[in-house]
Amino acid sequence: MERHQYPDSTPNSSTENVGLDVKPLRTLAPMFPSSYGLNVFSQSRTSPFIYISPSDYSSLPPGFTPPFPPFQAPQPGNARQPNSYPNGNSSFQTPSASAAEKKMKKQIHLGSNSVTDGSNSGCSMKPQKKKSRKALNIDSGLVPSLLDPRDSVEIVLMTFDALRRRLSQLDDGKEVKNQRPDLTAGTTLMSSDLRANRAKRIGSVPGIEIGDIFYFRIELCVVGLHAPIMAGIDYMTAQFENGDDTVAVSVVSSGGYENEETNTDALIYSGQGGNANVDQKLQRGNLALERSLHRGNVVRVVRSARDYSVPNGKIYFYDGLYKVESSWVEKGKSGFNVFKFKLLREPEQPPGLAIWKMTQQWKDNPTSRGRIILPDISSGAENVPVCLVNEVDDEKGPTHFRYSTTVEYLRPLNSMKPLEICRCASVCLPGDVHCTCAKLNGGNLPYSSNGTLVSRKPLIYECNMSCCCSSNCRNRVTQRGITHKLEVFKTRDRGWGLRSWDPIRTGTFICEYTGEVINKINLEDENADNDEYILQTIGFDEKAFKWNYGPELLGEPSADYSTESLGPLPIFISAKNMGNVSRFMNHSCSPNVFWQPVLYDHGDEGYPHIMFFAMKHIPPLTELTFDYGMGGGTGSRRTRKCLCGSPKCRGLFG
């Protein structure tokens, strides 16, 4: 075979590494994925939202319906028009809408064949009947098209995970379980037209930021970051100044191939296709990446990390924009040819993989964390050490307080109303109609099998010390204390803050607000007005009300709770003189944490424990914040200027 070396490809020093066999494009017969046995060169203009390669389709769970869109896809003139990128190739053009639409209607000729899109444009499956939002009575706040891009993405992801948690909860008591509730949730969202960024594009995706994390591949699909739920390379046909071409738009490095990911600014990506007995071919995603090398377009890169909270789990995170710098062919471990592509990260982007590598180094060796004031501010009171760090100035720490992991009530616990007890052997089981604690929670256990909160409620009842179940019961989540590696750090303009070295999954318990319970009379004292550490259950971010699953999507009655049912509560807690890490959690008008009342050591519903849970997936080293609210009532804290910096900042809080 004649070898053709790219001018900018990696030189080969052995016979095992050969130049990519790049013949003139007119001699290459493009091989893009067929749609379930249909002709790959069908000229249908309807592009499915997701394509699944036939070779991968067999690995999906039995009975799964591929999540194709239930509506007419955007016209090719719009779907194939890439977004411009400020640092992109100078030859890249974004023509006017009318010119683009006119040109995109033409077929693109590659060799003797023609295609109309880089995705499964040949699919002729009949779209499902679109469900009416009016019939479902879906809140307009859940409709992505009515929101700004960031809100659109966050609402879609929040609704997806809420549906997935609810589906898992419904399956808990069944003998035959749904093995992939994530796929069912994704299909449900798309069949109801609840998703973001429908059209493929080159470059950044509106509403998605570098560092954003995802726990399921289909989450990448429903927000438009990466369409295929199996294949690692996504591509589309785009218009360049000298003609149309099919180029790669994103890749996912999930550990399934022999990739090299040690460099934070480079990725050696292995091509797709082939197996232990077959050479990879220059087709589909491999061909698209090769064309991106010559076209110079940016490619989104999604990397992955191990999720230690579940067996064989992965966390995907968006690492930013890259360009294909070179490509070659080499012998893989199986002895057969594998395509290799070297992608280099575009400059002046926020750190992505570098954050994960840095925090992992700290977890492996905590002494490697620089600018530590105290290795454990809790002095051993917490399950996990909480370090105190200042990278801003020379301040040696916050004002003195007594660290406590418990709440100090106005009267002894043994004088308060006791909770009912369950008599479950070993642990409380989902679907057990005799479990008293499940009955108190409306018939279902409030937490999933991995300990995440299923839905927000006016009050959650955990098992108490008199219950017969063991300490391993899934209904004892918050009373076990913190489990994430947290750090208290100095912010630049808002005092001390709280963040985590670990990624935090939505619905995960973070910490309790501890301190001294004060009565309403003392709250009206002038000294209390200067207490910046008083927690009042008055603050609700708008998204906190929509955190529960959209029950209409599952044919269930609405589970929305009003402001009256979720607060305010008569309890007031001051962490000024005593408290834990929660006292350092700052206010934000766009928070990533919400509070949830929980009872487990007494039954007085007016004085529950105030527990904090993740409102959404939170990347490592992201500050943890909740909405302090706007009180305005008797005994409330004085109003303060807000410095959260959110686009939706109210300007004031308190």
Side-chain angles (χ1 to χ4, degrees):
M1 180 178 70
E2 183 180 358
R3 299 178 184 176
H4 297 267
Q5 182 76 28
Y6 289 164
D8 56 348
S9 63
T10 302
N12 302 310
S13 57
S14 70
T15 57
E16 293 186 354
N17 293 343
V18 299
L20 188 61
D21 184 24
V22 182
K23 300 177 181 179
L25 193 57
R26 63 179 179 274
T27 69
L28 291 175
M31 296 292 292
F32 295 104
S34 60
S35 303
Y36 308 105
L38 299 177
N39 190 319
V40 295
F41 303 118
S42 169
Q43 298 175 15
S44 168
R45 299 281 181 174
T46 304
S47 303
F49 179 68
I50 298 174
Y51 86 80
I52 305 173
S53 174
S55 61
D56 295 322
Y57 184 63
S58 60
S59 63
L60 291 174
F64 170 67
T65 302
F68 287 97
F71 58 91
Q72 184 69 25
Q75 293 301 314
N78 296 327
R80 292 165 49 205
Q81 186 177 24
N83 282 4
S84 60
Y85 176 67
N87 296 325
N89 192 297
S90 59
S91 66
F92 187 82
Q93 289 186 344
T94 305
S96 63
S98 58
E101 184 176 358
K102 182 177 180 180
K103 186 164 186 175
M104 287 299 181
K105 289 181 179 178
K106 299 179 181 179
Q107 293 180 355
I108 303 167
H109 294 275
L110 299 178
S112 59
N113 304 297
S114 62
V115 295
T116 57
D117 200 333
S119 61
N120 279 1
S121 55
C123 179
S124 61
M125 295 178 65
K126 293 183 179 180
Q128 301 174 9
K129 186 176 180 180
K130 182 177 177 179
K131 295 183 180 180
S132 167
R133 289 194 194 110
K134 184 176 181 181
L136 288 173
N137 193 28
I138 297 175
D139 191 321
S140 61
L142 290 179
V143 182
S145 60
L146 304 180
L147 307 170
D148 67 42
R150 186 63 178 174
D151 274 351
S152 174
V153 167
E154 290 187 351
I155 288 293
V156 167
L157 291 175
M158 185 184 300
T159 308
F160 162 81
D161 201 74
L163 283 171
R164 183 197 59 79
R165 295 192 308 270
R166 175 57 176 162
L167 289 167
S168 297
Q169 185 184 55
L170 292 173
D171 265 0
D172 271 343
K174 298 179 181 178
E175 292 185 6
V176 180
K177 299 183 183 298
N178 179 357
Q179 298 299 317
R180 295 297 301 272
D182 58 309
L183 296 182
T184 305
T187 305
T188 302
L189 275 185
M190 287 184 284
S191 66
S192 301
D193 197 12
L194 294 177
R195 57 184 182 176
N197 301 306
R198 295 171 177 82
K200 291 188 179 184
R201 69 189 71 227
I202 292 175
S204 301
V205 176
I208 297 179
E209 299 174 355
I210 293 175
D212 283 351
I213 61 176
F214 311 86
Y215 283 79
F216 299 94
R217 281 287 296 268
I218 200 166
E219 287 182 288
L220 308 178
C221 303
V222 296
V223 297
L225 184 60
H226 184 84
I229 61 173
M230 300 291 288
I233 307 173
D234 191 11
Y235 48 88
M236 65 176 285
T237 299
Q239 189 177 52
F240 298 86
E241 66 177 6
N242 59 345
D244 295 344
D245 210 347
T246 299
V247 294
V249 294
S250 62
V251 298
V252 175
S253 182
S254 58
Y257 290 90
E258 302 167 12
N259 300 333
E260 297 178 22
E261 304 189 68
T262 55
N263 192 328
T264 58
D265 293 317
L267 170 66
I268 306 299
Y269 191 83
S270 298
Q272 64 181 193
N275 52 47
N277 301 311
V278 179
D279 290 338
Q280 289 186 351
K281 296 179 174 59
L282 188 61
Q283 61 185 29
R284 301 177 180 173
N286 297 338
L287 178 60
L289 276 173
E290 181 271 327
R291 297 312 306 153
S292 290
L293 168 63
H294 290 279
R295 291 296 187 180
N297 65 283
V298 291
V299 178
R300 297 185 298 273
V301 169
V302 178
R303 300 197 189 231
S304 63
R306 176 78 182 276
D307 179 12
Y308 293 96
S309 65
V310 294
N312 303 317
K314 288 181 181 178
I315 305 172
Y316 303 93
F317 60 95
Y318 176 45
D319 194 37
L321 299 174
Y322 285 63
K323 283 187 178 180
V324 184
E325 190 261 350
S326 60
S327 59
W328 64 95
V329 175
E330 68 180 36
K331 297 290 184 182
K333 292 181 179 179
S334 63
F336 289 85
N337 288 337
V338 175
F339 288 102
K340 294 286 186 176
F341 301 91
K342 183 177 182 180
L343 292 88
L344 296 181
R345 199 167 192 261
E346 289 289 273
E348 299 181 0
Q349 296 185 92
L353 176 62
I355 294 289
W356 289 76
K357 296 181 78 67
M358 180 173 62
T359 52
Q360 186 59 52
Q361 180 184 358
W362 295 347
K363 286 184 282 188
D364 294 339
N365 180 18
T367 59
S368 64
R369 175 68 169 106
R371 303 296 298 270
I372 290 182
I373 299 173
L374 285 174
D376 184 10
I377 195 174
S378 76
S379 300
E382 300 286 5
N383 302 323
V384 184
V386 181
C387 65
L388 178 67
V389 178
N390 186 350
E391 298 175 301
V392 175
D393 52 35
D394 296 327
E395 187 176 355
K396 297 303 181 182
T399 55
H400 176 74
F401 72 101
R402 177 165 60 90
Y403 200 98
S404 175
T405 59
T406 60
V407 176
E408 188 174 285
Y409 289 96
L410 295 173
R411 52 197 177 100
L413 284 175
N414 57 16
S415 67
M416 302 175 76
K417 176 184 175 181
L419 271 174
E420 295 184 55
I421 65 172
C422 70
R423 302 189 180 279
C424 302
S426 183
V427 295
C428 296
L429 297 175
D432 185 353
V433 296
H434 302 293
C435 177
T436 304
C437 295
K439 291 179 181 178
L440 289 173
N441 287 293
N444 293 304
L445 296 177
Y447 304 110
S448 63
S449 58
N450 64 355
T452 56
L453 184 65
V454 175
S455 63
R456 193 176 190 190
K457 295 187 174 185
L459 190 59
I460 284 177
Y461 300 84
E462 289 192 359
C463 294
N464 59 80
M465 61 182 301
S466 299
C467 290
C468 297
C469 57
S470 70
S471 59
N472 294 325
C473 177
R474 74 158 67 176
N475 197 33
R476 296 179 182 270
V477 171
T478 63
Q479 55 195 273
R480 297 191 186 113
I482 68 172
T483 58
H484 290 85
K485 178 62 178 177
L486 304 175
E487 78 169 20
V488 176
F489 72 104
K490 184 68 181 294
T491 69
R492 295 194 177 278
D493 56 1
R494 288 171 293 116
W496 298 89
L498 183 68
R499 60 190 178 191
S500 170
W501 293 3
D502 300 311
I504 303 177
R505 190 173 188 161
T506 182
T508 298
F509 168 67
I510 297 174
C511 62
E512 176 181 3
Y513 198 89
T514 65
E516 301 171 280
V517 175
I518 57 178
N519 58 40
K520 193 171 183 178
I521 296 177
N522 292 339
L523 186 67
E524 296 173 354
D525 186 89
E526 62 179 15
N527 292 327
D529 191 47
N530 295 321
D531 188 346
E532 299 180 354
Y533 296 93
I534 294 179
L535 175 72
Q536 303 178 60
T537 56
I538 56 175
F540 284 100
D541 177 72
E542 180 184 358
K543 291 178 185 174
F545 285 112
K546 297 182 174 71
W547 192 79
N548 289 348
Y549 64 93
E552 301 90 347
L553 301 177
L554 299 177
E556 297 182 353
S558 175
D560 289 339
Y561 296 106
S562 64
T563 55
E564 290 77 16
S565 62
L566 286 174
L569 295 167
I571 188 172
F572 301 96
I573 304 174
S574 172
K576 182 178 182 179
N577 299 317
M578 62 172 286
N580 64 354
V581 293
S582 63
R583 72 193 297 274
F584 299 107
M585 207 179 304
N586 283 315
H587 161 82
S588 175
C589 298
S590 298
N592 50 23
V593 171
F594 65 82
W595 55 264
Q596 166 68 57
V598 176
L599 287 177
Y600 69 82
D601 55 359
H602 66 83
D604 192 335
E605 297 181 351
Y607 291 84
H609 295 270
I610 304 301
M611 306 297 188
F612 289 106
F613 290 82
M615 185 183 296
K616 55 187 177 182
H617 301 327
I618 305 175
L621 294 189
T622 300
E623 183 175 5
L624 305 177
T625 59
F626 73 101
D627 191 343
Y628 288 7
M630 290 292 292
T634 303
S636 65
R637 294 170 300 192
R638 71 177 187 272
T639 301
R640 294 175 174 84
K641 180 180 179 181
C642 181
L643 300 173
C644 71
S646 165
K648 292 191 171 183
C649 181
R650 298 190 298 263
L652 300 171
F653 71 88

